[in-house]
Amino acid sequence: MGRKLKDKSLTFILWASMFAVILILFGILGFVIVQGAGALSIEFLTQPPRNSMTEGGILTPIVGTIQLILVSIAFSLPVGICTAIYLAEYAKDDIFTTTLRLAIRSLAGVPSIVYGLFGLSFFCITLKFNPSLLSAGLTLGCIALPLIVGAAETALLAVPQSLRYASYALGASKWQTISKVVVPTAMPSILTGAILSVGRVAGETAPIMFTGAAFFTPGIAKSLFQEVMALPFHVYVLATAGTSIDKTRPLQYGAILVLLILVLGITLVGIIMRARLSRRRYLM
């Protein structure tokens, strides 16, 4: 009786925890939708902010956010995959590799404000990129890097050794085996890590406010060395430094809702790509 009671109690706790998380999640989403849906319109999505950002839309911050995501992923994804390949396929099991893995895991827990100060010091001042799209994107890429490395290494280690042995038996070299067999097999899981990293960097404010996010710019950045507007920083500005905070409150929630839709849209695209890669691998 005691064991059955414990089993039922733990099962109840697990189900209750799951429903609590779902309730909180849908509560937050519902609140944002109710508050921000009224601000959504064609003008809101296709016009830049104007009149001290109390009117107009959020086209410039939307494009700036997408630009930051693209720059950060263009930097972090290849570097992260190459690092994971080294750790999973080439690195020896010694103190250096252990320390390197520990450092990567530790970087995932570093506060984003620290990344912002690092980006300001290294990218903006030392490398003389100045506050710009490039500096902010590289800083966000540093934030995404530990997530991508961890996910990619786990995915590579999960590839069965039998696939490697079969490739070697057919006369393939180690690099051919990695590039033609191991990486394609692990790619769906690697994409999962990339999707999670996009979800994190898209909503960061502290790193970009030091490295390239502008309070206001009249147009879209046409160069990597120009400052950009971004949705997270735009919401922060409207909520804390705007000239008419109460007047811009619907715009704040509208921008938050668009940011959520943007992140969910990117995640959906990644899930579809992962499903297609998995299906293609299964058919092969």
Side-chain angles (χ1 to χ4, degrees), residues 46-65:
T46 59
Q47 298 294 323
R50 62 176 186 270
N51 194 16
S52 300
M53 295 187 291
T54 60
E55 297 177 359
I58 56 171
L59 176 64
T60 312
I62 290 175
V63 176
T65 302

Side-chain angles (χ1 to χ4, degrees), residues 73-256:
I73 292 300
F75 163 71
S76 60
L77 192 59
V79 173
I81 292 176
C82 290
T83 304
I85 290 174
Y86 168 76
L87 291 173
E89 303 293 335
Y90 290 99
K92 297 179 180 180
D93 190 14
D94 54 17
I95 186 64
F96 172 76
T97 305
T98 302
T99 304
L100 181 59
R101 285 195 175 99
L102 179 61
I104 293 172
R105 303 297 188 272
S106 300
L107 284 174
V110 173
S112 58
I113 188 70
V114 177
Y115 282 102
L117 295 174
F118 165 76
L120 174 64
S121 174
F122 185 67
F123 297 122
C124 296
I125 299 175
T126 303
L127 297 183
K128 301 185 185 303
F129 292 159
N130 299 321
S132 61
L133 170 61
L134 182 60
S135 297
L138 291 176
T139 303
L140 293 177
C142 292
I143 295 176
L145 200 55
L147 296 174
I148 294 177
V149 172
E153 184 187 2
T154 301
L156 293 171
L157 292 175
V159 176
Q161 283 293 117
S162 58
L163 293 180
R164 295 177 175 86
Y165 295 150
S167 179
Y168 295 148
L170 293 173
S173 64
K174 184 167 186 177
W175 175 245
Q176 289 174 328
T177 300
I178 293 172
S179 61
K180 302 295 184 181
V181 178
V182 178
V183 172
T185 303
M187 188 54 67
S189 297
I190 294 175
L191 281 178
T192 301
I195 292 168
L196 292 174
S197 67
V198 167
R200 179 175 181 184
V201 302
E204 290 290 351
T205 303
I208 61 176
M209 77 166 59
F210 295 117
T211 55
F215 182 90
F216 174 77
T217 55
I220 297 168
K222 297 178 175 61
S223 166
L224 289 174
F225 297 97
Q226 291 181 338
E227 290 186 310
V228 295
M229 295 184 71
L231 280 173
F233 188 65
H234 185 62
V235 172
Y236 170 78
V237 169
L238 291 178
T240 60
T243 55
S244 302
I245 295 178
D246 292 333
K247 185 178 180 180
T248 60
R249 200 170 302 280
L251 301 179
Q252 299 169 30
Y253 286 108
I256 294 171

